[in-house]
Amino acid sequence: MRSRSMLSATAILSLGLLPTAPLPAQRLNPVIDLVAAGKPVFGLYAPANRRARPGQPAPPADSMKNMSQLAAEALAYKKLDYVFEGTMEYNFDQTYPPFTEFAKALHEGGALSKGKAPRLTHPLFVKTPEIAPDPAVATARIGKQLNEGVMGIVFVDVLNADELKKGIAAVRFKSKGGTRADDVGAAPARWGMSDKEYREKADLWPLNPKGELYTFTIVESKEGLQHIREIAAVPGVGVLFPGAGTLRGVFTTTDANGQRKFDEAAWEAAIQSVLAACKEFKVPCGYPAGAPDIEKRMKEGFSVFVIGWGEQGFKAVDLGRAASGR
């Protein structure tokens, strides 16, 4: 009788007659899905033309790609979870116009996967200049970036909680309690929805469970490290990163003989202090990893990665995916 009952249950299950838990709806922003599921996230810097090093000749003109070609190159790589665009950290007025060309080309190239559950296959996460020098200017710049359909804003060199709160407010419409202007630009079309739908969904997760926008916060100074716990405690902080590259310079000094000395122990301690704050406040922790260190950083507890474009970057993604079973 026991065997017969087991067979009956199996048969019923195979026919789909037993109730099952509903599957979670797929979001437009895949990064949020991954973070919510506790899975690692792998982003790559957007492909870019090679720059001439000081004292070196400029690259041949025929080797330079236009924005459509660079966007096509990005779209051809399918293993990334987001595209990281870092050019607007400095000289926003100069770098914003070519970024808009890239964002448009990415959309026209098919970054939006349509259907019953639309999804951005290559969501854009972009650096925005420092907020502290002029929060009003920073708010306007963030609004312009969001109007291009980006899904993530990356705050650089955050010094304290108050600065981060201003940045988070700039991501949210005034109707949601933020400071973002009502203009939406090309964003609704890039997300494949009406202006009304966009205004409903263009809010910050996890503050708004239905929001599709997300933030990264980079701490890369001694002052920021001193306030790391209060920064990590800010609601809506998103992912918290140690700016490992910049911090390397912070912990490098020059002696009386002009020799540069890197304090690796202090640098690593700074990185670990950010990770400790992430763990204490249950915030995902990010790291600018490469193939040599991504597995080590994953074991330590870092889960969101930004990686350089190119073969070594692709190798890092493969290593990370293999280590996590993704």
Side-chain angles (χ1 to χ4, degrees):
M1 289 295 293
R2 182 181 178 187
S3 174
R4 185 179 299 173
S5 298
M6 291 179 64
L7 285 172
S8 298
T10 303
I12 292 172
L13 182 62
S14 69
L15 292 173
L17 299 179
L18 289 180
T20 57
L23 293 174
Q26 180 174 265
R27 307 184 70 101
L28 185 69
N29 188 345
V31 172
I32 294 177
D33 272 341
L34 291 167
V35 171
K39 296 181 179 180
V41 180
F42 307 102
L44 286 173
Y45 272 89
N49 288 309
R50 184 168 59 88
R51 296 180 181 179
R53 295 182 178 179
Q56 297 294 318
D62 59 3
S63 70
M64 305 295 282
K65 298 178 180 179
N66 60 37
M67 290 301 168
S68 292
Q69 292 170 321
L70 291 172
E73 187 176 347
L75 289 166
Y77 183 74
K78 308 294 186 183
K79 295 181 181 180
L80 58 75
D81 299 312
Y82 67 95
V83 177
F84 189 87
E85 222 292 344
T87 61
M88 289 175 284
E89 180 177 0
Y90 307 108
N91 202 337
F92 184 87
D93 291 338
Q94 179 178 321
T95 54
Y96 176 72
F99 160 70
T100 64
E101 292 180 31
F102 179 77
K104 180 181 179 183
L106 206 63
H107 172 70
E108 292 177 346
L112 177 63
S113 175
K114 300 178 181 179
K116 291 184 178 180
R119 194 170 181 83
L120 281 166
T121 62
H122 290 65
L124 275 169
F125 278 62
V126 301
K127 279 187 176 181
T128 200
E130 292 178 33
I131 297 165
D134 194 328
V137 170
T139 295
R141 287 170 171 168
I142 290 169
K144 292 178 71 173
Q145 291 174 313
L146 291 170
N147 285 357
E148 293 298 322
V150 306
M151 306 212 81
I153 296 292
V154 182
F155 305 122
V156 301
D157 197 15
V158 173
L159 304 178
N160 52 56
D162 184 63
E163 181 180 356
L164 176 56
K165 289 174 183 177
K166 288 183 172 66
I168 287 173
V171 174
R172 311 187 75 188
F173 286 117
K174 295 174 182 177
S175 62
K176 306 291 186 182
T179 57
R180 181 183 176 184
D182 290 335
D183 181 34
V184 295
R190 304 273 168 86
W191 285 20
M193 57 186 65
S194 67
D195 284 15
K196 180 181 179 181
E197 290 172 323
Y198 175 79
R199 291 176 191 279
E200 291 174 354
K201 292 184 176 294
D203 198 16
L204 191 62
W205 186 88
L207 293 181
N208 181 345
K210 295 182 180 180
E212 294 283 1
L213 296 175
Y214 201 42
T215 64
F216 292 174
T217 296
I218 303 177
V219 173
E220 46 195 336
S221 69
K222 289 184 178 180
E223 182 177 350
L225 292 170
Q226 290 172 355
H227 297 103
I228 189 61
R229 294 183 69 256
E230 68 182 58
I231 291 171
V234 173
V237 62
V239 181
L240 189 56
F241 278 77
T246 302
L247 287 172
R248 181 177 288 272
V250 169
F251 290 100
T252 298
T253 56
T254 304
D255 63 21
N257 298 318
Q259 297 296 315
R260 293 174 64 80
K261 183 179 180 180
F262 171 49
D263 189 342
E264 185 173 0
W267 174 75
E268 183 62 37
I271 291 170
Q272 294 301 321
S273 73
V274 177
L275 179 61
C278 289
K279 291 180 177 179
E280 179 182 356
F281 292 94
K282 296 180 173 54
V283 172
C285 214
Y287 193 81
D293 62 352
I294 191 166
E295 292 173 290
K296 170 191 172 184
R297 296 303 184 185
M298 290 179 72
K299 289 178 182 177
E300 291 175 344
F302 293 94
S303 60
V304 179
F305 300 94
V306 57
I307 302 165
W309 184 266
E311 291 304 321
Q312 284 300 305
F314 304 155
K315 180 180 178 181
V317 173
D318 287 341
L319 289 169
R321 280 178 167 266
S324 63
R326 278 196 58 201

